[in-house]
Each structure stands twice: as structure tokens, then as C-alpha cells.
Amino acid sequence: MRMSPRRTTAYTLRLPDGADADRVTELLQRYDPYARRRRRAIKLAGAGTGTTLRLRGEELVVPPADDVLARALRHHLGGSWLVPPPAPGEHQEPLEDLVRVFVPHKLLPAELATLLRPMLPGVAIREDPKLDLFWFEDEDSELTISAWVVRDRAVLPLAASALRDIESLYEVGIDDVQGPTPLTAEETWRIVELLERELGGLSIDRYGFQLTGPADLIPR
């Protein structure tokens, strides 16, 4: 029986107006802080695999193994596909939270609920101590918020790699299962800003990019 050949065609994104080499590099450094550009090639040094993306005129060429990254770049930059990646698989980013906020110290349910209550007045705590998991419910919000201990540091996104040696690390997941919409993106961003300011959190989107504002959550 002949096996299907491994895909070798690179994904190619036609960049929108204004998405020059500097903008693409700055975006990729929000995914991998060690990303560096040399001429028209951008190497993701932190990936450990020597992944290199190339700028070719108004096109961005992504290696064929990096379909999630390719979809992420289209999400953040806009543009149109000349050679598109495959649709997301069952266990890829649709199952990730909209935002993950990594908190570099022990986090108690009551502490987080106290912070959230001015924004979510009806918030109620639910907890599973055996799983080190707790979550919050508010009937007036479309968001779901949960938090848990990060045990496997090897699976941290590259943008959070500086947190791997933190003794106590928690992850707060924020999601809108119906969206996101501009309204829930704004609500999510207010919570993200709160967690970053009060808890020293680091916010990462479902694709592994550090967040800069609510617009990052809405596809271009």
C-alpha cells in the first residue's frame, strides 16, 4: 500500500498594505522573543527546530509543517492566501481558550473572585481541589473564566518561556464559546489588563502570541 506523500508545499500569504518586514518581524517576536530577521528571512530561534519564514516581495512564505502558525499570521496580519494551510484539526486552536494569562505565583480562588467582582458583579466560584482547578460563573457575561496550576512547563508557549522556572505558576483561561465579538473582546481585554496589573500576569492568545489589545482577538 502506498503511503500519502508528506506535504512539502509552503503556505503563502499575500500581505495587506502596510505589512512590511518590520511589522511582520515585530509580530513574530510576540510569538517567539528570540525571533530575528536577516534580510528577508525571519528565524524562530526559540522554536528549537530552526523554523525560518521568508518574505518574498509582498508575500510571506511559511514552512509546510507550521499550519497553526500560518493561520495565526493570517489572523493577526490580514491579507489573502495564495497557498492556504489546511483547516484546523480537531485538537488544534478551536479547543484553546481565547486568552491564557499566566500568573507567576500561587493564586487563590477568593483572590481572583475579589478582583473580578467589580467587572462581573454576579461572579460565583466553583472549585475542584483534587484537580487544582477552579472556575467562575456570571449569568450576565458571555465569558467563561477558569484557573489551574501549570504542571508541565514544557508545553508553555514560546512567548511565556521565561516563566518555566517559576516555582508556582497558574494559568487563567478566558473564553467566549460563541465569539469573540467586539463586545466580548473588549470585556476580555479589561480582565486581561486587570490580571496583568494586579497579579503580574502575562497574556497569550490561543495561537501563542502575546496580546497588545482587544483588536488582537478579532480576526482581520
Side-chain angles (χ1 to χ4, degrees):
M1 174 176 162
R2 177 177 293 180
M3 301 295 291
S4 298
R6 183 178 179 180
R7 181 172 182 141
T8 58
T9 303
Y11 311 127
T12 307
L13 177 67
R14 184 184 296 280
L15 296 171
D17 293 341
D20 59 12
D22 287 340
R23 181 179 170 189
V24 174
T25 303
E26 289 170 3
L27 174 62
L28 283 165
Q29 286 173 339
R30 287 166 44 198
Y31 174 79
D32 177 359
Y34 301 99
R36 295 294 181 268
R37 185 177 90 241
R38 185 175 182 182
R39 297 185 179 88
R40 305 289 288 175
I42 307 171
K43 184 174 182 180
L44 304 183
T49 59
T51 298
T52 299
L53 296 85
R54 300 188 183 279
L55 291 156
R56 189 175 62 198
E58 298 178 351
E59 300 169 5
L60 177 62
V61 180
V62 184
D66 292 310
D67 53 310
V68 177
L69 177 58
R71 289 192 293 273
L73 291 167
R74 170 63 181 80
H75 170 93
H76 284 288
L77 291 169
S80 57
W81 289 115
L82 298 176
V83 181
E90 181 181 356
H91 298 293
Q92 289 183 322
E93 70 270 9
L95 299 183
E96 296 281 6
D97 286 322
L98 186 63
V99 176
R100 295 173 288 168
V101 183
F102 294 93
V103 177
H105 56 76
K106 185 174 178 61
L107 186 59
L108 299 175
E111 177 186 11
L112 188 50
T114 299
L115 285 175
L116 293 173
R117 192 155 283 125
M119 295 183 184
L120 306 174
V123 72
I125 305 172
R126 304 288 182 262
E127 186 175 6
D128 189 334
K130 293 181 180 179
L131 297 178
D132 287 324
L133 170 68
F134 49 94
W135 63 98
F136 303 89
E137 297 175 355
D138 186 325
E139 293 182 356
D140 295 324
S141 175
E142 297 294 325
L143 302 179
T144 59
I145 303 173
S146 53
W148 57 92
V149 176
V150 178
R151 299 194 181 280
D152 186 0
R153 309 301 174 87
V155 300
L156 284 175
L158 291 172
S161 58
L163 301 177
R164 283 180 181 153
D165 295 329
I166 296 293
E167 182 177 353
S168 185
L169 183 63
Y170 277 69
E171 181 175 335
V172 180
I174 308 172
D175 201 11
D176 174 7
V177 296
Q178 303 296 329
T181 65
L183 185 64
T184 58
E186 289 285 351
E187 183 180 8
T188 299
W189 181 245
R190 289 195 297 271
I191 295 172
V192 164
E193 287 187 306
L194 178 71
L195 299 183
E196 289 183 337
R197 181 176 66 248
E198 300 295 333
L199 301 177
L202 175 67
S203 59
I204 308 291
D205 73 5
R206 63 173 35 148
Y207 295 106
F209 286 72
Q210 190 168 351
L211 288 175
T212 62
D216 290 337
L217 304 175
I218 305 296
R220 293 180 185 272

